[in-house]
Amino acid sequence: KEKVEITKEQQALVKVVVEAYNRHQIPQDVAKKLLQDQYSAEENFLLLTEMATSQVQVLVEFTKNIPGFLSLDREDQIALLKGSAVEAMFLRSAQVFSKKMPNGHTEVLEERIRKSGISEEFMTPMFNFYKSIGELHMVEEEQALLTTITILTPDRPYVKDQQAVERLQETILDVLRKMCVLQHPQDPQYFARLLGRLTELRTLSHYHAEMLTSWRVNDHKFTPLLCEIWDVQ
Ligand SMILES: Cc1ccccc1NC(=O)[C@H](C1CCCCC1)n1c(-c2ccc(Cl)cc2)nc2cc(F)c(F)cc21
C-alpha cells in the first residue's frame, strides 16, 4: 500500500488557499439573519441579490490567491470567474446550510428558505444538494479546495487556453485526493464522492436563472454585476 504523503509545497499551497478562502468569506452571516427574523419575499430577494453581489466580489479577491491564477490569460481569468460564480454561490450556500448548529436551528433555517419566495419546484433539487454536501462532513481545507477546483474548471464557455487551466486544476485535485485519503482512511471512495457533488452542483446551477425570475416578487431587480454573472435581464 503506497504511503500517501503531502509534500512541503503542497502544504504551502493548501495554507495559502485556505487562508484566502477564510479571509474572503461573506461579511455578515446570512444564516444568523434568516434565523433571527422571517422576511417577506421582497426582503429575501433583496437579501439574496446583496449576498450574491458581495459573494462575486469576494470570489474575485479569492481567485487572486490561487497559485497560478493571475498568470492565466486575462480574458480566461474573467471566463473562469463568470463560469463558476453561480456554482460557487450554491456551494457556499450548501456549506452554510451544513454548518453544525444548535438543535432545531437547521430546521428553522430550512423552513425560512422554503418560504423565502423561491418557487416550490426548485426546493427538492436544492435541498438534496445541500444535504448531500452536509453528509460529507467536509473539513475547511476540503471546502476551500473544492471551491478552487470549481473555479478552475477548464471547459467553461470562452476559455481559450484550457490546458493551462487543466494544469492548475490538476495541482489542486492531486493535493485534495491525498488529503481525502489521509482525512478519511476508512472511506476510499470519499474523494470520488466529493467530485461527484460537483456534477450535482452543475445541474443545480442550471436552474439559477429560473429560480431568480420565478421568485414570488412583482419586480425582479438585479445589480449590474449580477446581470453580468447570472443569465437574467
Ligand atoms: C449563503 C450565501 C452566501 C453567499 C451568497 C449567497 C448565499 N445564499 C443566500 O443568501 C440564500 C438566501 C438569500 C435570502 C433568502 C433565503 C436564501 N441562500 C440560498 C439560496 C437559495 C436560492 C438561490 Cl437562487 C440562491 C441561494 N441557499 C441558502 C442556504 C443557506 F443555508 C443560507 F443560509 C442561505 C441560502
Side-chain angles (χ1 to χ4, degrees):
K1 198 158 161 29
E2 112 269 12
K3 174 93 183 66
V4 165
E5 167 177 304
I6 293 182
T7 66
K8 280 266 165 289
E9 57 265 18
Q10 285 179 322
Q11 271 171 357
L13 180 145
V14 170
K15 193 166 177 300
V16 162
V17 165
V18 169
E19 274 167 6
Y21 184 74
N22 289 333
R23 204 171 44 246
H24 294 122
Q25 274 334 317
I26 303 293
Q28 102 259 20
D29 183 349
V30 65
K32 204 158 56 233
K33 231 172 139 74
L34 290 168
L35 286 163
Q36 266 159 0
D37 267 324
Q38 184 130 357
Y39 298 99
S40 70
E42 275 74 12
E43 287 164 330
N44 278 316
F45 187 76
L46 182 65
L47 179 57
L48 170 63
T49 52
E50 286 165 358
M51 290 301 299
T53 301
S54 67
Q55 206 252 349
V56 174
Q57 290 154 348
V58 152
L59 202 67
V60 172
E61 287 316 305
F62 172 62
T63 55
K64 289 176 181 168
N65 297 280
I66 298 173
F69 188 85
L70 293 177
S71 321
L72 293 172
D73 172 281
R74 183 60 49 123
E75 286 171 353
D76 284 355
Q77 293 178 30
I78 305 287
L80 293 178
L81 275 162
K82 277 173 76 80
S84 64
V86 171
E87 289 178 19
M89 175 190 66
F90 279 120
L91 191 51
R92 181 76 198 123
S93 297
Q95 286 160 359
V96 169
F97 189 76
S98 320
K99 264 190 197 137
K100 188 87 194 78
M101 279 185 264
N103 279 346
H105 281 53
T106 303
E107 289 68 19
V108 171
L109 183 56
E110 176 164 348
E111 205 41 41
R112 291 278 156 85
I113 296 165
R114 283 186 182 279
K115 293 203 166 57
S116 61
I118 307 167
S119 65
E120 190 52 38
E121 67 198 282
F122 303 113
M123 294 298 164
T124 308
M126 190 173 78
F127 282 110
N128 284 352
F129 175 66
Y130 291 174
K131 288 167 186 168
S132 70
I133 287 287
E135 282 155 14
L136 289 168
H137 302 295
M138 275 190 268
V139 296
E140 67 172 4
E141 289 84 353
E142 289 163 345
Q143 292 189 8
L145 293 177
L146 198 65
T147 299
T148 308
I149 286 162
T150 305
I151 295 164
L152 297 174
T153 300
D155 63 344
R156 296 293 186 198
Y158 315 113
V159 171
K160 295 171 292 191
D161 188 352
Q162 292 202 5
Q163 277 72 23
V165 181
E166 220 159 292
R167 275 193 300 276
L168 290 186
Q169 192 190 47
E170 261 148 33
T171 310
I172 308 291
L173 282 165
D174 187 38
V175 62
L176 179 58
R177 183 179 49 73
K178 288 183 179 177
M179 282 186 65
C180 288
V181 168
L182 294 170
Q183 190 81 29
H184 309 267
Q186 83 294 348
D187 184 355
Q189 296 314 317
Y190 184 83
F191 177 60
R193 284 196 296 128
L194 210 48
L195 297 188
R197 298 283 75 82
L198 294 186
T199 312
E200 214 181 320
L201 174 61
R202 197 176 280 211
T203 309
L204 177 66
S205 301
H206 286 320
Y207 299 131
H208 81 277
E210 265 184 274
M211 289 170 87
L212 294 155
T213 49
S214 66
W215 205 285
R216 275 194 310 285
V217 288
N218 301 327
D219 168 31
H220 300 82
K221 228 172 86 42
F222 301 100
T223 60
L225 181 57
L226 289 185
C227 291
E228 271 291 302
I229 292 282
W230 286 347
D231 314 330
V232 290
Q233 219 160 11

